[in-house]
Amino acid sequence: MHTAAGVEARLPIRSDMDLVWVRQHVRQAAARLGFGLVDQTKLVTAASELARNTLVHGGGGLMEASHVTTGGTDGLRLTFSDSGPGIPDLDRALSDGYTSGGGLGMGLGGARRLVHDFGVESAPGSGTTVRVTSWVTRPPRRREDV
């Protein structure tokens, strides 16, 4: 069971500048939770792709970031939501190599591979919500160990 410590941020996604704020927030939040640099980069990369999809394909929306815990392990859950046209063929959109262009070229399938937990809800005409969670895989180093 996952326990949410609450939504720590709600960031609008309405412009390219908002994509910068999303990436910065995710990097800072992941660092605070003790994610290593490689895991931070994976999560920021996935967030960047998902935020761009929210902007380009969903017409803009919102990212919510939440600190979650399970079994004593901390994680960061990111939820991207929009009220756009939805994804007509979710299986195709999640398949390897599928991209509609304009992003990092990794698509939803690539973003899914960069995180531990991935879920998407979408239907034509009803928008899209993508929820991803990454878990801190090792404890942060204490200052005296550095």
Side-chain angles (χ1 to χ4, degrees):
M1 180 169 130
H2 305 310
T3 305
V7 174
E8 72 173 51
R10 285 184 175 88
L11 300 175
I13 301 171
R14 293 186 298 257
S15 70
D16 284 340
M17 191 64 210
D18 291 335
L19 302 179
V20 173
W21 295 121
V22 164
R23 286 191 296 268
Q24 287 179 347
H25 178 81
V26 171
R27 171 123 10 234
Q28 291 168 356
R32 266 194 318 275
L33 289 174
F35 282 81
L37 187 57
V38 170
D39 290 330
Q40 288 177 39
T41 301
K42 287 179 178 179
L43 188 54
V44 169
T45 301
S48 182
E49 181 74 5
L50 296 171
R52 179 158 294 286
N53 285 351
T54 299
L55 178 62
V56 172
H57 303 294
L62 181 71
M63 181 199 78
E64 291 184 351
S66 304
H67 173 198
V68 293
T69 59
T70 186
T73 300
D74 290 316
L76 186 60
R77 174 171 296 142
L78 306 174
T79 303
F80 297 85
S81 56
D82 66 61
S83 299
I87 301 171
D89 187 345
L90 194 52
D91 288 336
R92 181 170 174 235
L94 286 167
S95 67
D96 282 344
Y98 177 79
T99 181
S100 55
L104 298 174
M106 75 162 97
L108 289 175
R112 178 172 56 182
R113 283 190 299 278
L114 293 171
V115 298
H116 295 115
D117 300 322
F118 182 95
V120 61
E121 299 167 16
S122 186
S126 65
T128 301
T129 299
V130 179
R131 187 169 291 110
V132 299
T133 307
S134 284
W135 301 98
V136 177
T137 55
R138 59 192 169 286
R141 295 168 64 185
R142 296 184 310 222
R143 284 186 123 5
E144 56 270 16
D145 292 341
V146 177

